[in-house]
Amino acid sequence: MKAKRYSTEFKSSIVALYNEGHSANSLANEYHLAVQTVTGWVKNLKSIPTALILKIVHFFSVRS
């Protein structure tokens, strides 16, 4: 089975929601993801401040 790829914008928005206080479990359930996927993204992007993540998400949403 081929692994599903998610855009950087999507990953950043999930991490931003996590940083705002949403649990990994609730995000996984809401967006139909594995909890390990959410926690992996958080771990990989934890050094990036939430404000920067939100700017990235906004940038991509304006370009769409």
Side-chain angles (χ1 to χ4, degrees):
M1 181 192 247
K2 200 174 197 179
K4 185 167 183 179
R5 301 281 179 166
Y6 296 95
S7 70
T8 303
E9 175 188 5
F10 180 73
K11 291 178 187 179
S12 297
S13 63
I14 296 296
V15 172
L17 289 170
Y18 178 87
N19 288 339
E20 290 175 2
H22 297 267
S23 71
N25 283 331
S26 68
L27 292 168
N29 287 333
E30 185 175 345
Y31 293 96
H32 307 286
L33 302 166
V35 175
Q36 295 84 352
T37 300
V38 175
T39 56
W41 294 345
V42 169
K43 183 179 178 182
N44 289 336
L45 296 174
K46 72 179 176 184
S47 62
I48 301 174
T50 302
L52 180 57
I53 292 171
L54 293 172
K55 285 181 183 179
I56 292 168
V57 169
H58 177 71
F59 173 78
F60 281 106
S61 65
V62 170
R63 290 183 65 202
S64 299

